[in-house]
Amino acid sequence: MERKEVLEKVKEICRDVFDDESLVVNEATTSKDIEGWDSLRHLSLVNELEETFNIAFTLDETIEGRNIGRLIDAVMRRLEEKSK
């Protein structure tokens, strides 16, 4: 899966998790940029990403993932590992 495809899926997931169809998300988006991105929503976001991509993040990836770009980095790593 290409990074651009992952970003598009992440955008859809963010709109769903944060219940905002007009939400604009890019790789530079952080938790500070999205109203309502608290610890509970963060865990919901991580869970949705894991389920959508059929992967599991490490604890460090979960903690450091308050940035969309970093979350996409983690998804790409997990997908690459899965394909080996």
Side-chain angles (χ1 to χ4, degrees):
M1 183 175 274
E2 297 289 325
R3 189 174 184 93
K4 186 176 178 181
E5 293 173 286
V6 171
L7 175 59
E8 290 307 312
K9 284 277 192 195
V10 169
K11 287 178 183 181
E12 292 173 24
I13 292 167
C14 285
R15 290 181 186 123
D16 184 46
V17 168
F18 297 106
D19 196 29
D20 182 352
E21 288 301 315
S22 66
L23 187 62
V24 176
V25 176
N26 60 50
E27 290 201 39
T29 302
T30 69
S31 58
K32 294 178 182 178
D33 299 323
I34 299 177
E35 187 176 331
W37 189 337
D38 57 17
S39 57
L40 185 57
R41 289 272 174 100
H42 180 71
L43 292 176
S44 295
L45 176 59
V46 167
N47 184 61
E48 287 298 319
L49 291 169
E50 289 179 327
E51 287 184 12
T52 298
F53 294 104
N54 194 27
I55 58 173
F57 291 125
T58 65
L59 181 57
D60 286 341
E61 289 168 337
T62 300
I63 292 168
E64 294 173 2
R66 298 243 177 211
N67 170 292
I68 296 300
R70 285 186 181 170
L71 284 170
I72 292 172
D73 290 342
V75 168
M76 296 302 293
R77 272 194 307 276
R78 297 294 147 229
L79 290 174
E80 184 179 320
E81 288 174 0
K82 224 172 78 168
S83 68
K84 291 182 179 179

